Amino acid sequence: MTILIIGLVVAGVAAGGSLVEKMKIQAAQSLTKSSDVASIKGLRLWLETSSEKSFDPSQASDGSDFTIATPWYDINPQTSTKLYALTNSTSGIKYIKKGIGGLPSIHFPSVAVTDFFEVSTSKSSISSIPFSTTNNAFTFFAVIKSTAAGLHNRLFYNGTYASNGWGYKNRGSDVRSIKMDSDTYEGSADATSNEEIISITHAGGTSGALTLYVNGDEDTTLTTTATVNSPSGGGFYIGAQEPAGSAAWDGYISEIIVYEKSLSDKDRLDVENYLSKKYSIKLIP
């Protein structure tokens, strides 16, 4: 009888844990659906990890590996032309059930330079495209956690590295930096191993204001003017600078949002507040 009672208690605890996890996912899905992300014009790419539309059912299993046959789906409702994030990696990019904020994340092991996603117009094969935005303006958001130290880890790059395009990386001793064509703009603080919301805005034009925000806080050292050419080659790479690059991302990524314009402060804060609530990451006042 005692053994039976213990067994029932253990089963109840396990069932309760599963119920809590399910409720957490449902809350995240609700926040995603009700967020301001889709209502802000100019949305180009929206990748996240909690929606039932983000992955094929077989992929959303804890510890499952990504291959080219298991895409990460763009959930952008503003366009009928869907995009897909694909990888040729066999080195261990995985779907993790409990990642940033206790929600699903993609884990990048930084084992090889092939450990990255490439945004494609095809679901089954890579046909990479860079994002050429109007007047070279853009806004980029990412929910991340870096687990490496002292490496040049590339979170993403759009275009052809050091030729034309833009991207973000942890440079040297994890200093946050943005690459704009052949120029690198370093932030004032080191990147951390904490869960973070990274936001980047570029006002566009031949020399527009470039600003990095970390958890809603402006990095004043990096706020500057920068020139970026409209990418004419390469693609949009997540977790690396480009196929010929090195030091792929080491850590977790849960959400990426890209707009083809520089958002107003209000719109940027609306997106950051949504990400803050969803992943339980406190914004800096």
Side-chain angles (χ1 to χ4, degrees):
M1 179 63 73
T2 302
I3 294 175
L4 176 60
I5 292 174
I6 293 174
L8 290 172
V9 170
V10 171
V13 170
S18 299
L19 180 61
V20 170
E21 291 174 11
K22 185 176 181 180
M23 290 176 64
K24 192 175 183 67
I25 291 290
Q26 289 176 340
Q29 292 173 345
S30 179
L31 282 170
T32 299
K33 291 177 182 178
S34 63
S35 74
D36 294 309
V37 175
S39 64
I40 300 172
K41 292 182 179 180
L43 181 62
R44 186 66 178 271
L45 178 71
W46 190 2
L47 298 170
E48 64 90 61
T49 53
S50 298
S51 172
E52 294 177 345
K53 297 180 179 180
S54 293
F55 305 105
D56 292 329
S58 60
Q59 181 60 49
S61 176
D62 192 38
S64 59
D65 293 312
F66 279 90
T67 68
I68 195 169
T70 52
W72 188 2
Y73 293 95
D74 174 26
I75 64 168
N76 180 7
Q78 292 187 11
T79 176
S80 58
T81 305
K82 297 299 182 183
L83 299 175
Y84 310 89
L86 304 174
T87 177
N88 283 318
S89 172
T90 56
S91 300
I93 295 181
K94 297 181 182 295
Y95 173 96
I96 303 298
K97 193 173 183 179
K98 288 187 178 180
I100 298 173
L103 294 171
S105 294
I106 309 301
H107 180 247
F108 294 73
S110 190
V111 174
V113 296
T114 54
D115 293 334
F116 62 89
F117 286 91
E118 194 166 344
V119 174
S120 174
T121 56
S122 169
K123 177 182 176 180
S124 57
S125 61
I126 293 178
S127 53
S128 67
I129 56 167
F131 293 163
S132 297
T133 62
T134 303
N135 204 30
N136 298 326
F138 64 85
T139 304
F140 174 92
F141 299 90
V143 178
I144 62 172
K145 180 179 179 181
S146 174
T147 55
L151 296 174
H152 287 58
N153 293 290
R154 276 78 176 184
L155 173 62
F156 80 98
Y157 199 80
N158 178 53
T160 304
Y161 190 73
S163 176
N164 54 51
W166 35 275
Y168 173 91
K169 62 183 177 180
N170 291 344
R171 176 181 170 89
S173 299
D174 290 343
V175 176
R176 300 185 183 96
S177 65
I178 299 176
K179 188 77 172 176
M180 301 287 283
D181 293 337
S182 59
D183 298 322
T184 298
Y185 298 90
E186 291 192 350
S188 62
D190 289 351
T192 68
S193 58
N194 297 326
E195 299 172 348
E196 297 181 324
I197 299 169
I198 297 294
S199 311
I200 304 169
T201 62
H202 184 256
T206 56
S207 185
L210 171 69
T211 310
L212 168 69
Y213 302 86
V214 182
N215 296 337
D217 186 36
E218 181 179 327
D219 186 321
T220 54
T221 298
L222 197 139
T223 303
T224 182
T225 57
T227 301
V228 59
N229 295 317
S230 183
S232 58
F236 192 96
Y237 310 100
I238 301 168
Q241 67 180 37
E242 61 181 6
S246 60
W249 184 252
D250 192 325
Y252 300 84
I253 301 176
S254 287
E255 192 149 349
I256 287 177
I257 303 169
V258 184
Y259 289 90
E260 52 186 359
K261 66 178 184 178
S262 180
L263 296 190
S264 66
D265 286 341
K266 178 188 180 302
D267 286 344
R268 175 182 56 79
L269 284 169
D270 285 344
V271 176
E272 289 170 344
N273 279 317
Y274 147 67
L275 295 173
S276 172
K277 291 176 182 178
K278 182 175 177 179
Y279 296 99
S280 300
I281 299 174
K282 186 177 180 180
L283 296 181
I284 300 172

